[in-house]
Amino acid sequence: MFNQSPIEIAVYVKHLCENVGVNYKDVFNAIYNKFDINQEKIAKMAYYREYLTKVDNFDGAENLKKDLKEIFTYIKNFSENPRLPYIQFNLLLGTENTKTINDTVNALNRFCRMNNYLSNKNVLFVDAEMFIKTTKDNTDVFIQVDKLYNENDFIVFTNVHRIKYLNEFRVDSLFIAIGKYYNKNPRTMTILSGEQSVLYELVKKYDRLMNHVFLHKLDIEGYELELVKSKVIKDIK
């Protein structure tokens, strides 16, 4: 009935309590006490299950959903067991699809904040093409990237594929600067997004990025084809 969403179930229980004039807080407290449930832990578990449901409802490839669920699971486990190593989930997101990028970033950002996985700064979208075009020179690229990581803990570079034919020295400076500053604040997340083949072609030139920074790739290959196919089928029906 509720697609296994604990939050929807809780809302429904609250609704039933209000209909019969029962204090819903007393009902939940009685449940917690009877089963010796830690309220903070159960709230986090409910939030975790809710975000798994959100991911299931994403448009797109199953491999994207699988990867996101694995990231959420590790973040949840880390919040419950700080002895686990902290993993920076810096991601290559191989798609130009704005909705996919926004859905992915919003889900990650909110879930990370809920579990104190980031450093409580800001999330920022940076159009890579405009960034390269508006910086003054190579030195300015380093200065601006350093500033980005000082002021934000979740940075999303979009349209990375569009910088392929821009000033090669500034492009080179951008990737080197990301590799230099991404870990300035350990509790930071960086995403590079863009057309998959060009994105990977650009990043693979930099050993530091491939072997130390972007160890996680959200492979969206076939995403647009799957989405178009599903929409066509719906239109036919």
Side-chain angles (χ1 to χ4, degrees), residues 26-151:
D26 292 339
V27 172
F28 285 120
N29 285 332
I31 294 172
Y32 295 147
N33 292 332
K34 180 175 178 60
F35 296 100
D36 193 25
I37 296 173
N38 181 296
Q39 294 190 35
E40 181 180 356
K41 187 173 182 179
I42 199 67
K44 284 189 174 183
M45 178 57 72
Y47 202 79
Y48 166 69
R49 293 293 300 273
E50 178 69 9
Y51 267 78
L52 294 188
T53 301
K54 285 181 182 291
V55 170
D56 280 331
N57 292 331
F58 278 8
D59 286 329
E62 291 302 318
N63 51 354
L64 169 63
K65 299 176 184 180
K66 177 177 178 293
D67 290 340
L68 284 175
K69 287 180 179 180
E70 289 177 354
I71 291 173
F72 287 155
T73 299
Y74 189 87
I75 292 172
K76 178 186 74 71
N77 291 341
F78 178 85
S79 71
E80 296 171 354
N81 182 9
R83 290 185 297 178
L84 289 173
Y86 182 87
I87 296 177
Q88 257 195 359
F89 289 105
N90 301 306
L91 311 170
L92 296 180
L93 185 57
T95 183
E96 302 172 62
N97 188 284
T98 302
K99 186 176 187 304
T100 306
I101 296 169
N102 288 339
D103 286 348
T104 301
V105 172
N106 288 337
L108 283 168
N109 184 50
R110 291 175 182 173
F111 193 78
C112 286
R113 305 292 176 194
M114 173 66 183
N115 289 276
N116 298 315
Y117 204 74
L118 297 174
S119 64
N120 201 28
K121 291 187 179 181
N122 304 303
V123 58
L124 181 68
F125 285 80
V126 179
D127 186 308
E129 180 182 25
M130 292 303 298
F131 181 86
I132 292 297
K133 288 182 176 180
T134 55
T135 46
K136 300 173 184 177
D137 51 34
N138 300 344
T139 301
D140 191 37
V141 171
F142 278 89
I143 292 172
Q144 296 305 320
V145 171
D146 186 19
K147 183 178 179 181
L148 291 178
Y149 282 103
N150 279 332
E151 298 176 353

Side-chain angles (χ1 to χ4, degrees), residues 124-213:
L124 181 68
F125 285 80
V126 179
D127 186 308
E129 180 182 25
M130 292 303 298
F131 181 86
I132 292 297
K133 288 182 176 180
T134 55
T135 46
K136 300 173 184 177
D137 51 34
N138 300 344
T139 301
D140 191 37
V141 171
F142 278 89
I143 292 172
Q144 296 305 320
V145 171
D146 186 19
K147 183 178 179 181
L148 291 178
Y149 282 103
N150 279 332
E151 298 176 353
N152 306 279
D153 59 7
F154 193 163
I155 302 175
V156 185
F157 291 93
T158 61
N159 293 322
V160 175
H161 60 289
R162 293 183 182 175
I163 68 176
K164 181 177 180 179
Y165 298 110
L166 298 184
N167 184 294
E168 62 179 306
F169 299 107
R170 292 189 197 176
V171 171
D172 190 51
S173 296
L174 172 61
F175 288 124
I176 294 173
I178 291 173
K180 179 178 181 179
Y181 296 119
Y182 82 99
N183 202 31
K184 191 169 188 178
N185 170 11
R187 287 182 177 257
T188 299
M189 186 178 293
T190 303
I191 291 181
L192 302 186
S193 67
E195 194 280 318
Q196 182 168 288
S197 61
V198 178
L199 174 65
Y200 289 0
E201 177 188 345
L202 288 169
V203 176
K204 74 179 182 181
K205 299 176 183 177
Y206 302 87
D207 290 341
R208 179 164 177 76
L209 297 184
M210 291 299 293
N211 298 322
H212 297 282
V213 184

